Amino acid sequence: MSLTKTLSQLFGDAFASQGLDRAFGEVVVSARPDLAQFQCNGAMPAAKQAGRNPRDLAQAVIDAVEDGSPFAELSLAGPGFINITLTDDHLASYVDSLAVEPKLGVTPAAPKQIVVDYGGPNVAKELHVGHLRPAIIGESVKRTLRTLGHDVIGDVHLGDWGIPYGQLIVELEDRYPNLPYFDAQLTDGYPAEPPVSINDLQELYPVAAARAKEDEGLAARARAAVVELHDGRPGYRALWQHMRNVSVEAIKAVYDRLDVEFDLWHGESTINHRLQPMVKRLFEEGHAVESGGALIIEVMSDEDTREIPPFILLKSDGASLYTTWDLATIEDRIEELGAEEIIYIVDVRQGLHFEQVFRAAYKTGIAPSDVVLEHPGNGTVNGPDGKPFKTREGGLLTLRELIDMVVTRAAERLEENALAVEFDDIEKAGIAEKVGLAALKYGDLQNHRSSNYIFDIDRFTSFDGKTGPYLLYGAVRMKSMLREAAERSIRSGQVIAPLQEQERNLMLQLTRLPEVVERAGELRAPNHIAEYAYELVAEFSRFYEACHILRESDGARQASWLRLVEITLAALGLLLDLLTIEVPERM
Ligand code: ARG
């Protein structure tokens, strides 16, 4: 259990002994580390509730808690704050216990069934810069919630059922009318090999989209083709399946490179079988009403101070759309996956869409009121001009190009810093890949998920400052120090009471990890982990400067320091994993 949780229990007991709620005993890391290590602020609200004097109550709590306690100092401050400082022995023994805790004190929560919907790419198009944030924030949130003990399913929710497939079908039909997919009489026996490669699709899609934009006749054919696709016309389904397969393969390759891993490769199309019964039921139950030929659900309520347009269930041509699919997907996730929470890591600019979908889901009972539907939106990656990142030519940079760019810069940085110079080319390239990805991911995740940030490749790839490469360098330094100790047969041992400030500070820093991970999970905000990981490495560096581990003559102290390095490395490994960052063995 985390240290603050243990302390909170002790203080909770003390409040309970005063006939008050145990929850008042919550202990947190001190806001004034110069005065104390931890603090408990519960006396003020508790006193208010009980009609007592807060300072007297705080003193009573101190008296109740003090007996045989792990505290070096408990003191009353201001209107009723309790300042807490542990004995060095207690601190050391807590940190020592972390050596056998793979999660470094993170206590499992009551597990919930959670679906994280992130990624959201559209098939037939290459991943681009805009797909970076949802992918890594989503992956990080998924890993964090899992570490906190939840059952988490990551679903990529492919855009695979929209108008673009109609446009592509029509484009292909015009180019290759003799392909069996367009023969309406045929119902099976289509070729096993896809008629198009991913490169073909990438060439075709922009052309098809542009043509449909100019030519209303073509656009109408594309819409009709989509309706037929949805209704199950065999040739269209077969062709669509091929397009989906080749796209998924290409999309997966980029996500793999980013270490972004989905449990489900579902898409908008996955719930097609649910649409008809759902629409029918919502109509019969009176939730959906006709409006201008379309079928809508009113989602605005009297309390609203802004306009919330109605949720569109079916368009006037009878076709389902983005909103319909998201609603049916909620039904599917609740019924098939037992989802208790669904978290959408999707661009903040889709806020209104999710507002409408969530309202429709609750209003129609598709989501019972105890199911949590949440859209913690992500901001954008901007260029130096503060606008969404573009290539020099003004085009959208593909994600693959962006990664290549950062990895190339990382390789230069390694050289500039004389790192990894003596390794063979394969290892060097592997290290550059990891450093580049760390730069990219940390540069992103250090910002709150909802803010926009400027993509600054020089800053992100620097080995100094708050960057991914700095953290990797810290981790690699810990690894190499442990290797050296092993070569010299120096062993780690029990963590003993700190003598130096830097040693104590590192220990205190380690005790904070569980709260940080919890906060990041609750707020769906990996930036808390990013910030803390940086502070941990910075604290480690100060310790490392002050405590010359390999030269230490006191065996017990040396063994304790070494254990501290091991624990710090384990903690950093956990944090970096939550940030989806991989550490090289050496560099
Ligand atoms: N494919 C969508 C887009 O490109 C994003 C999907 C987000 N997820 C969702 N459940 N709607 O805008």
Side-chain angles (χ1 to χ4, degrees):
M1 197 189 304
S2 81
L3 183 57
T4 45
K5 282 221 171 73
T6 313
L7 295 175
S8 298
Q9 280 184 356
L10 269 177
F11 277 77
D13 288 344
F15 276 93
S17 77
Q18 299 292 308
L20 293 161
D21 193 339
R22 318 179 48 88
F24 288 120
E26 190 188 14
V27 170
V28 295
V29 173
S30 169
R32 289 284 306 273
D34 50 325
L35 298 181
Q37 297 169 343
F38 302 93
Q39 61 189 66
C40 173
N41 307 334
M44 279 92 62
K48 195 166 177 197
Q49 196 188 67
R52 288 172 62 177
N53 174 301
R55 281 185 62 92
D56 290 350
L57 176 58
Q59 191 56 55
V61 167
I62 291 177
D63 294 342
V65 117
E66 206 144 37
D67 246 13
S69 69
F71 307 110
E73 199 189 336
L74 286 176
S75 62
L76 181 54
F81 295 106
I82 302 171
N83 282 332
I84 306 164
T85 295
L86 296 176
T87 64
D88 280 343
D89 276 331
H90 191 78
L91 179 62
S93 88
Y94 172 77
V95 171
D96 188 64
S97 75
L98 294 179
V100 292
E101 289 227 26
K103 290 191 191 174
L104 286 299
V106 173
T107 333
K112 278 191 139 199
Q113 190 69 40
I114 302 177
V115 174
V116 183
D117 177 321
Y118 65 109
N122 299 328
V123 303
K125 283 203 253 179
E126 238 186 308
L127 294 182
H128 57 76
V129 190
H131 291 113
L132 178 70
R133 300 217 73 194
I136 57 178
I137 295 168
E139 180 71 20
S140 177
V141 167
K142 182 191 77 179
R143 292 185 187 194
T144 304
L145 292 172
R146 224 171 241 172
T147 296
L148 290 169
H150 298 293
D151 293 317
V152 193
I153 297 172
D155 181 7
V156 69
H157 198 75
L158 287 174
D160 64 357
W161 218 220
I163 292 291
Y165 311 100
Q167 295 169 346
L168 280 165
I169 288 170
V170 169
E171 180 70 26
L172 281 165
E173 187 163 18
D174 288 351
R175 290 195 193 192
Y176 315 105
N178 295 328
L179 285 178
Y181 307 101
F182 306 116
D183 181 345
Q185 313 307 321
L186 214 64
T187 55
D188 60 9
Y190 305 104
E193 284 303 306
V196 283
S197 70
I198 184 67
N199 292 335
D200 297 335
L201 276 182
Q202 272 150 24
E203 183 260 322
L204 276 164
Y205 177 68
V207 177
R211 282 184 59 210
K213 209 169 172 184
E214 279 159 24
D215 180 345
E216 177 44 39
L218 210 61
R221 274 177 65 208
R223 285 197 296 274
V226 165
V227 172
E228 285 192 83
L229 171 70
H230 291 177
D231 288 348
R233 179 169 156 169
Y236 286 4
R237 282 288 177 95
L239 180 57
W240 169 86
Q241 191 64 57
H242 279 310
M243 296 196 279
R244 192 185 196 273
N245 292 348
V246 296
S247 306
V248 164
E249 203 180 314
I251 289 170
K252 235 183 197 149
V254 180
Y255 281 138
D256 276 352
R257 193 170 171 200
L258 283 173
D259 296 305
V260 168
E261 202 189 338
F262 297 97
D263 304 292
L264 296 179
W265 281 80
H266 286 182
E268 296 163 346
S269 65
T270 306
I271 46 67
N272 193 54
H273 62 286
R274 288 186 176 270
L275 296 177
Q276 263 190 15
M278 180 182 85
V279 170
K280 185 164 174 282
R281 184 169 57 78
L282 296 184
F283 184 69
E284 284 169 2
E285 289 173 359
H287 291 302
V289 293
E290 267 187 66
S291 166
L295 215 49
I296 63 159
I297 301 173
E298 285 292 354
V299 290
M300 206 159 145
S301 79
D302 295 340
E303 289 105 72
D304 285 316
T305 49
R306 61 173 178 145
E307 174 83 18
I308 310 281
F311 174 97
I312 301 177
L313 192 61
L314 290 184
K315 292 189 287 184
S316 51
D317 64 0
S320 59
L321 62 165
Y322 190 45
T323 39
T324 331
W325 309 327
D326 261 327
L327 189 62
T329 303
I330 292 177
E331 184 181 76
D332 196 60
R333 286 171 177 164
I334 293 173
E335 288 182 8
E336 297 294 322
L337 307 174
E340 296 168 278
E341 272 182 36
I342 309 177
I343 300 173
Y344 297 81
I345 309 289
V346 180
D347 196 317
V348 284
R349 290 172 294 183
Q350 293 201 29
L352 179 60
H353 163 75
F354 286 109
E355 183 69 48
Q356 293 174 302
V357 173
F358 296 169
R359 285 180 183 220
Y362 288 127
K363 184 176 175 184
T364 57
I366 285 176
S369 58
D370 58 348
V371 168
V372 176
L373 301 173
E374 200 184 306
H375 170 220
N378 62 273
T380 53
V381 183
N382 290 343
D385 58 355
K387 302 218 181 83
F389 199 82
K390 294 265 159 65
T391 59
R392 246 178 243 141
E393 295 73 39
L396 215 48
L397 198 68
T398 68
L399 195 45
R400 204 160 34 86
E401 289 165 334
L402 184 79
I403 300 171
D404 285 342
M405 208 164 97
V406 187
V407 169
T408 306
R409 190 76 186 95
E412 291 165 11
R413 289 289 198 176
L414 284 164
E415 277 214 31
E416 285 166 25
N417 288 280
L419 290 168
V421 271
E422 73 271 30
F423 307 154
D424 65 43
D425 286 350
I426 294 181
E427 186 172 356
K428 259 192 212 166
I431 295 171
E433 176 85 8
K434 289 201 167 94
V435 173
L437 284 172
L440 184 67
K441 292 172 176 180
Y442 193 86
D444 186 298
L445 293 176
Q446 76 180 125
N447 303 284
H448 185 262
R449 63 170 152 69
S450 67
S451 25
N452 305 330
Y453 68 89
I454 291 178
F455 181 77
D456 184 345
I457 193 166
D458 286 328
R459 182 163 66 81
F460 292 178
T461 55
S462 168
F463 277 94
D464 299 316
K466 210 183 271 186
T467 68
Y470 171 78
L471 294 188
L472 285 196
Y473 185 69
V476 165
R477 196 155 65 156
M478 293 174 208
K479 284 189 183 189
S480 77
M481 124 117 272
L482 291 174
R483 261 198 307 268
E484 198 173 333
E487 275 159 23
R488 300 205 210 161
S489 307
I490 306 172
R491 299 222 194 174
S492 62
Q494 196 185 3
V495 177
I496 54 177
L499 286 181
Q500 311 196 41
E501 202 53 32
Q502 293 87 343
E503 203 182 350
R504 186 177 299 107
N505 287 345
L506 178 59
M507 291 187 192
L508 280 170
Q509 186 68 17
L510 285 166
T511 69
R512 289 182 50 208
L513 182 142
E515 276 84 78
V516 174
V517 176
E518 272 167 36
R519 194 168 338 119
E522 272 161 27
L523 302 175
R524 334 298 190 200
N527 60 302
H528 291 285
I529 295 173
E531 181 68 31
Y532 172 76
Y534 170 76
E535 285 165 12
L536 181 64
V537 174
E539 206 65 74
F540 177 82
S541 297
R542 289 188 276 273
F543 158 78
Y544 191 77
E545 298 295 311
C547 304
H548 302 272
I549 305 173
L550 297 178
R551 278 188 270 141
E552 174 62 34
S553 53
D554 175 344
R557 175 89 23 217
Q558 185 181 44
S560 167
W561 282 348
L562 214 49
R563 168 88 15 110
L564 215 44
V565 180
E566 290 169 352
I567 296 170
T568 309
L569 179 60
L572 185 58
L574 175 83
L575 298 164
L576 290 175
D577 181 60
L578 295 180
L579 298 173
T580 77
I581 293 174
E582 277 191 35
V583 185
E585 263 327 290
R586 53 180 195 167
M587 64 189 192

mmCIF file with all atom_site columns, all heavy atoms in Angstrom, residues 86 115 152 160 172 187 231 239 268-269 290 296 347 498 509 518 565:
data_model
loop_
_atom_site.group_PDB
_atom_site.id
_atom_site.type_symbol
_atom_site.label_atom_id
_atom_site.label_alt_id
_atom_site.label_comp_id
_atom_site.label_asym_id
_atom_site.label_entity_id
_atom_site.label_seq_id
_atom_site.pdbx_PDB_ins_code
_atom_site.Cartn_x
_atom_site.Cartn_y
_atom_site.Cartn_z
_atom_site.occupancy
_atom_site.B_iso_or_equiv
_atom_site.pdbx_formal_charge
_atom_site.auth_seq_id
_atom_site.auth_comp_id
_atom_site.auth_asym_id
_atom_site.auth_atom_id
_atom_site.pdbx_PDB_model_num
ATOM 1   N N   . LEU A 1 86  ? 8.253   12.042  9.002   1.00 0.00 ? 86  LEU A N   1
ATOM 2   C CA  . LEU A 1 86  ? 8.504   10.663  9.443   1.00 0.00 ? 86  LEU A CA  1
ATOM 3   C C   . LEU A 1 86  ? 9.897   10.527  10.031  1.00 0.00 ? 86  LEU A C   1
ATOM 4   O O   . LEU A 1 86  ? 10.791  11.316  9.702   1.00 0.00 ? 86  LEU A O   1
ATOM 5   C CB  . LEU A 1 86  ? 8.427   9.716   8.251   1.00 0.00 ? 86  LEU A CB  1
ATOM 6   C CG  . LEU A 1 86  ? 7.088   9.590   7.548   1.00 0.00 ? 86  LEU A CG  1
ATOM 7   C CD1 . LEU A 1 86  ? 7.259   8.684   6.336   1.00 0.00 ? 86  LEU A CD1 1
ATOM 8   C CD2 . LEU A 1 86  ? 6.046   9.017   8.496   1.00 0.00 ? 86  LEU A CD2 1
ATOM 9   N N   . VAL A 1 115 ? -13.790 0.588   -21.309 1.00 0.00 ? 115 VAL A N   1
ATOM 10  C CA  . VAL A 1 115 ? -13.381 0.583   -22.712 1.00 0.00 ? 115 VAL A CA  1
ATOM 11  C C   . VAL A 1 115 ? -12.751 1.939   -23.007 1.00 0.00 ? 115 VAL A C   1
ATOM 12  O O   . VAL A 1 115 ? -13.331 2.972   -22.681 1.00 0.00 ? 115 VAL A O   1
ATOM 13  C CB  . VAL A 1 115 ? -14.582 0.357   -23.660 1.00 0.00 ? 115 VAL A CB  1
ATOM 14  C CG1 . VAL A 1 115 ? -14.144 0.496   -25.119 1.00 0.00 ? 115 VAL A CG1 1
ATOM 15  C CG2 . VAL A 1 115 ? -15.212 -1.013  -23.420 1.00 0.00 ? 115 VAL A CG2 1
ATOM 16  N N   . VAL A 1 152 ? -9.319  -3.220  -18.685 1.00 0.00 ? 152 VAL A N   1
ATOM 17  C CA  . VAL A 1 152 ? -9.427  -2.195  -19.715 1.00 0.00 ? 152 VAL A CA  1
ATOM 18  C C   . VAL A 1 152 ? -9.284  -2.804  -21.105 1.00 0.00 ? 152 VAL A C   1
ATOM 19  O O   . VAL A 1 152 ? -8.370  -3.596  -21.350 1.00 0.00 ? 152 VAL A O   1
ATOM 20  C CB  . VAL A 1 152 ? -8.356  -1.098  -19.545 1.00 0.00 ? 152 VAL A CB  1
ATOM 21  C CG1 . VAL A 1 152 ? -8.682  0.091   -20.423 1.00 0.00 ? 152 VAL A CG1 1
ATOM 22  C CG2 . VAL A 1 152 ? -8.259  -0.660  -18.096 1.00 0.00 ? 152 VAL A CG2 1
ATOM 23  N N   . ASP A 1 160 ? -14.815 3.156   -40.825 1.00 0.00 ? 160 ASP A N   1
ATOM 24  C CA  . ASP A 1 160 ? -14.838 2.228   -41.965 1.00 0.00 ? 160 ASP A CA  1
ATOM 25  C C   . ASP A 1 160 ? -16.219 2.082   -42.597 1.00 0.00 ? 160 ASP A C   1
ATOM 26  O O   . ASP A 1 160 ? -16.492 1.118   -43.285 1.00 0.00 ? 160 ASP A O   1
ATOM 27  C CB  . ASP A 1 160 ? -14.333 0.846   -41.518 1.00 0.00 ? 160 ASP A CB  1
ATOM 28  C CG  . ASP A 1 160 ? -15.243 0.212   -40.473 1.00 0.00 ? 160 ASP A CG  1
ATOM 29  O OD1 . ASP A 1 160 ? -16.225 0.854   -40.051 1.00 0.00 ? 160 ASP A OD1 1
ATOM 30  O OD2 . ASP A 1 160 ? -14.978 -0.938  -40.064 1.00 0.00 ? 160 ASP A OD2 1
ATOM 31  N N   . LEU A 1 172 ? -13.662 3.047   -58.338 1.00 0.00 ? 172 LEU A N   1
ATOM 32  C CA  . LEU A 1 172 ? -13.135 1.778   -58.847 1.00 0.00 ? 172 LEU A CA  1
ATOM 33  C C   . LEU A 1 172 ? -14.048 1.224   -59.944 1.00 0.00 ? 172 LEU A C   1
ATOM 34  O O   . LEU A 1 172 ? -13.570 0.666   -60.935 1.00 0.00 ? 172 LEU A O   1
ATOM 35  C CB  . LEU A 1 172 ? -12.994 0.759   -57.708 1.00 0.00 ? 172 LEU A CB  1
ATOM 36  C CG  . LEU A 1 172 ? -11.757 0.961   -56.834 1.00 0.00 ? 172 LEU A CG  1
ATOM 37  C CD1 . LEU A 1 172 ? -11.871 0.171   -55.533 1.00 0.00 ? 172 LEU A CD1 1
ATOM 38  C CD2 . LEU A 1 172 ? -10.494 0.551   -57.582 1.00 0.00 ? 172 LEU A CD2 1
ATOM 39  N N   . THR A 1 187 ? -23.155 -13.235 -56.441 1.00 0.00 ? 187 THR A N   1
ATOM 40  C CA  . THR A 1 187 ? -23.278 -13.144 -54.979 1.00 0.00 ? 187 THR A CA  1
ATOM 41  C C   . THR A 1 187 ? -22.082 -13.740 -54.247 1.00 0.00 ? 187 THR A C   1
ATOM 42  O O   . THR A 1 187 ? -21.924 -13.549 -53.050 1.00 0.00 ? 187 THR A O   1
ATOM 43  C CB  . THR A 1 187 ? -24.543 -13.853 -54.466 1.00 0.00 ? 187 THR A CB  1
ATOM 44  O OG1 . THR A 1 187 ? -24.532 -15.197 -54.935 1.00 0.00 ? 187 THR A OG1 1
ATOM 45  C CG2 . THR A 1 187 ? -25.794 -13.132 -54.915 1.00 0.00 ? 187 THR A CG2 1
ATOM 46  N N   . ASP A 1 231 ? -26.505 -2.129  -46.683 1.00 0.00 ? 231 ASP A N   1
ATOM 47  C CA  . ASP A 1 231 ? -27.571 -3.130  -46.788 1.00 0.00 ? 231 ASP A CA  1
ATOM 48  C C   . ASP A 1 231 ? -27.041 -4.512  -47.139 1.00 0.00 ? 231 ASP A C   1
ATOM 49  O O   . ASP A 1 231 ? -27.795 -5.478  -47.137 1.00 0.00 ? 231 ASP A O   1
ATOM 50  C CB  . ASP A 1 231 ? -28.605 -2.688  -47.834 1.00 0.00 ? 231 ASP A CB  1
ATOM 51  C CG  . ASP A 1 231 ? -29.433 -1.515  -47.320 1.00 0.00 ? 231 ASP A CG  1
ATOM 52  O OD1 . ASP A 1 231 ? -29.351 -1.228  -46.104 1.00 0.00 ? 231 ASP A OD1 1
ATOM 53  O OD2 . ASP A 1 231 ? -30.128 -0.864  -48.128 1.00 0.00 ? 231 ASP A OD2 1
ATOM 54  N N   . LEU A 1 239 ? -15.550 -6.110  -51.825 1.00 0.00 ? 239 LEU A N   1
ATOM 55  C CA  . LEU A 1 239 ? -14.559 -5.097  -52.188 1.00 0.00 ? 239 LEU A CA  1
ATOM 56  C C   . LEU A 1 239 ? -14.161 -4.268  -50.963 1.00 0.00 ? 239 LEU A C   1
ATOM 57  O O   . LEU A 1 239 ? -12.976 -4.013  -50.707 1.00 0.00 ? 239 LEU A O   1
ATOM 58  C CB  . LEU A 1 239 ? -15.167 -4.179  -53.268 1.00 0.00 ? 239 LEU A CB  1
ATOM 59  C CG  . LEU A 1 239 ? -14.285 -3.040  -53.777 1.00 0.00 ? 239 LEU A CG  1
ATOM 60  C CD1 . LEU A 1 239 ? -12.967 -3.577  -54.323 1.00 0.00 ? 239 LEU A CD1 1
ATOM 61  C CD2 . LEU A 1 239 ? -15.022 -2.254  -54.873 1.00 0.00 ? 239 LEU A CD2 1
ATOM 62  N N   . GLU A 1 268 ? -16.737 1.308   -37.150 1.00 0.00 ? 268 GLU A N   1
ATOM 63  C CA  . GLU A 1 268 ? -18.120 1.768   -37.253 1.00 0.00 ? 268 GLU A CA  1
ATOM 64  C C   . GLU A 1 268 ? -19.008 0.670   -37.823 1.00 0.00 ? 268 GLU A C   1
ATOM 65  O O   . GLU A 1 268 ? -20.194 0.588   -37.514 1.00 0.00 ? 268 GLU A O   1
ATOM 66  C CB  . GLU A 1 268 ? -18.169 2.993   -38.169 1.00 0.00 ? 268 GLU A CB  1
ATOM 67  C CG  . GLU A 1 268 ? -17.393 4.179   -37.608 1.00 0.00 ? 268 GLU A CG  1
ATOM 68  C CD  . GLU A 1 268 ? -17.089 5.244   -38.668 1.00 0.00 ? 268 GLU A CD  1
ATOM 69  O OE1 . GLU A 1 268 ? -17.234 4.972   -39.871 1.00 0.00 ? 268 GLU A OE1 1
ATOM 70  O OE2 . GLU A 1 268 ? -16.689 6.352   -38.263 1.00 0.00 ? 268 GLU A OE2 1
ATOM 71  N N   . SER A 1 269 ? -18.423 -0.162  -38.679 1.00 0.00 ? 269 SER A N   1
ATOM 72  C CA  . SER A 1 269 ? -19.207 -1.204  -39.353 1.00 0.00 ? 269 SER A CA  1
ATOM 73  C C   . SER A 1 269 ? -19.578 -2.366  -38.424 1.00 0.00 ? 269 SER A C   1
ATOM 74  O O   . SER A 1 269 ? -20.519 -3.100  -38.703 1.00 0.00 ? 269 SER A O   1
ATOM 75  C CB  . SER A 1 269 ? -18.390 -1.777  -40.510 1.00 0.00 ? 269 SER A CB  1
ATOM 76  O OG  . SER A 1 269 ? -17.243 -2.441  -40.000 1.00 0.00 ? 269 SER A OG  1
ATOM 77  N N   . GLU A 1 290 ? -39.717 12.043  -36.384 1.00 0.00 ? 290 GLU A N   1
ATOM 78  C CA  . GLU A 1 290 ? -39.397 12.510  -37.724 1.00 0.00 ? 290 GLU A CA  1
ATOM 79  C C   . GLU A 1 290 ? -39.279 14.018  -37.742 1.00 0.00 ? 290 GLU A C   1
ATOM 80  O O   . GLU A 1 290 ? -39.999 14.720  -37.040 1.00 0.00 ? 290 GLU A O   1
ATOM 81  C CB  . GLU A 1 290 ? -40.495 12.083  -38.694 1.00 0.00 ? 290 GLU A CB  1
ATOM 82  C CG  . GLU A 1 290 ? -40.161 10.755  -39.342 1.00 0.00 ? 290 GLU A CG  1
ATOM 83  C CD  . GLU A 1 290 ? -41.160 10.399  -40.432 1.00 0.00 ? 290 GLU A CD  1
ATOM 84  O OE1 . GLU A 1 290 ? -41.191 11.118  -41.457 1.00 0.00 ? 290 GLU A OE1 1
ATOM 85  O OE2 . GLU A 1 290 ? -41.902 9.430   -40.222 1.00 0.00 ? 290 GLU A OE2 1
ATOM 86  N N   . ILE A 1 296 ? -34.801 12.000  -35.761 1.00 0.00 ? 296 ILE A N   1
ATOM 87  C CA  . ILE A 1 296 ? -33.928 12.669  -34.793 1.00 0.00 ? 296 ILE A CA  1
ATOM 88  C C   . ILE A 1 296 ? -34.316 12.349  -33.349 1.00 0.00 ? 296 ILE A C   1
ATOM 89  O O   . ILE A 1 296 ? -35.422 11.876  -33.088 1.00 0.00 ? 296 ILE A O   1
ATOM 90  C CB  . ILE A 1 296 ? -33.967 14.214  -34.968 1.00 0.00 ? 296 ILE A CB  1
ATOM 91  C CG1 . ILE A 1 296 ? -35.402 14.716  -34.682 1.00 0.00 ? 296 ILE A CG1 1
ATOM 92  C CG2 . ILE A 1 296 ? -33.527 14.628  -36.345 1.00 0.00 ? 296 ILE A CG2 1
ATOM 93  C CD1 . ILE A 1 296 ? -35.444 16.184  -34.335 1.00 0.00 ? 296 ILE A CD1 1
ATOM 94  N N   . ASP A 1 347 ? -10.221 14.058  -30.436 1.00 0.00 ? 347 ASP A N   1
ATOM 95  C CA  . ASP A 1 347 ? -10.044 15.507  -30.574 1.00 0.00 ? 347 ASP A CA  1
ATOM 96  C C   . ASP A 1 347 ? -11.150 16.307  -29.847 1.00 0.00 ? 347 ASP A C   1
ATOM 97  O O   . ASP A 1 347 ? -12.333 16.032  -30.023 1.00 0.00 ? 347 ASP A O   1
ATOM 98  C CB  . ASP A 1 347 ? -10.064 15.836  -32.081 1.00 0.00 ? 347 ASP A CB  1
ATOM 99  C CG  . ASP A 1 347 ? -9.508  17.222  -32.377 1.00 0.00 ? 347 ASP A CG  1
ATOM 100 O OD1 . ASP A 1 347 ? -9.849  18.171  -31.647 1.00 0.00 ? 347 ASP A OD1 1
ATOM 101 O OD2 . ASP A 1 347 ? -8.720  17.342  -33.333 1.00 0.00 ? 347 ASP A OD2 1
ATOM 102 N N   . PRO A 1 498 ? 18.417  7.293   5.845   1.00 0.00 ? 498 PRO A N   1
ATOM 103 C CA  . PRO A 1 498 ? 19.267  8.206   5.075   1.00 0.00 ? 498 PRO A CA  1
ATOM 104 C C   . PRO A 1 498 ? 20.117  9.089   5.989   1.00 0.00 ? 498 PRO A C   1
ATOM 105 O O   . PRO A 1 498 ? 19.685  9.460   7.073   1.00 0.00 ? 498 PRO A O   1
ATOM 106 C CB  . PRO A 1 498 ? 18.265  9.045   4.294   1.00 0.00 ? 498 PRO A CB  1
ATOM 107 C CG  . PRO A 1 498 ? 17.003  8.993   5.095   1.00 0.00 ? 498 PRO A CG  1
ATOM 108 C CD  . PRO A 1 498 ? 16.983  7.640   5.726   1.00 0.00 ? 498 PRO A CD  1
ATOM 109 N N   . GLN A 1 509 ? 10.636  11.180  -2.697  1.00 0.00 ? 509 GLN A N   1
ATOM 110 C CA  . GLN A 1 509 ? 10.104  11.265  -4.062  1.00 0.00 ? 509 GLN A CA  1
ATOM 111 C C   . GLN A 1 509 ? 9.494   9.914   -4.466  1.00 0.00 ? 509 GLN A C   1
ATOM 112 O O   . GLN A 1 509 ? 8.421   9.861   -5.054  1.00 0.00 ? 509 GLN A O   1
ATOM 113 C CB  . GLN A 1 509 ? 11.248  11.659  -5.010  1.00 0.00 ? 509 GLN A CB  1
ATOM 114 C CG  . GLN A 1 509 ? 10.837  11.934  -6.429  1.00 0.00 ? 509 GLN A CG  1
ATOM 115 C CD  . GLN A 1 509 ? 9.987   13.187  -6.558  1.00 0.00 ? 509 GLN A CD  1
ATOM 116 O OE1 . GLN A 1 509 ? 9.951   14.029  -5.664  1.00 0.00 ? 509 GLN A OE1 1
ATOM 117 N NE2 . GLN A 1 509 ? 9.275   13.287  -7.656  1.00 0.00 ? 509 GLN A NE2 1
ATOM 118 N N   . GLU A 1 518 ? -2.403  7.385   -9.622  1.00 0.00 ? 518 GLU A N   1
ATOM 119 C CA  . GLU A 1 518 ? -3.850  7.467   -9.396  1.00 0.00 ? 518 GLU A CA  1
ATOM 120 C C   . GLU A 1 518 ? -4.437  8.737   -9.993  1.00 0.00 ? 518 GLU A C   1
ATOM 121 O O   . GLU A 1 518 ? -5.479  8.710   -10.646 1.00 0.00 ? 518 GLU A O   1
ATOM 122 C CB  . GLU A 1 518 ? -4.169  7.457   -7.896  1.00 0.00 ? 518 GLU A CB  1
ATOM 123 C CG  . GLU A 1 518 ? -4.336  6.066   -7.339  1.00 0.00 ? 518 GLU A CG  1
ATOM 124 C CD  . GLU A 1 518 ? -4.335  6.055   -5.820  1.00 0.00 ? 518 GLU A CD  1
ATOM 125 O OE1 . GLU A 1 518 ? -4.867  7.009   -5.219  1.00 0.00 ? 518 GLU A OE1 1
ATOM 126 O OE2 . GLU A 1 518 ? -3.782  5.094   -5.256  1.00 0.00 ? 518 GLU A OE2 1
ATOM 127 N N   . VAL A 1 565 ? 19.016  2.588   -6.061  1.00 0.00 ? 565 VAL A N   1
ATOM 128 C CA  . VAL A 1 565 ? 19.124  2.713   -7.522  1.00 0.00 ? 565 VAL A CA  1
ATOM 129 C C   . VAL A 1 565 ? 18.182  1.710   -8.185  1.00 0.00 ? 565 VAL A C   1
ATOM 130 O O   . VAL A 1 565 ? 17.455  2.040   -9.130  1.00 0.00 ? 565 VAL A O   1
ATOM 131 C CB  . VAL A 1 565 ? 20.580  2.481   -8.005  1.00 0.00 ? 565 VAL A CB  1
ATOM 132 C CG1 . VAL A 1 565 ? 20.655  2.618   -9.526  1.00 0.00 ? 565 VAL A CG1 1
ATOM 133 C CG2 . VAL A 1 565 ? 21.544  3.445   -7.340  1.00 0.00 ? 565 VAL A CG2 1
#
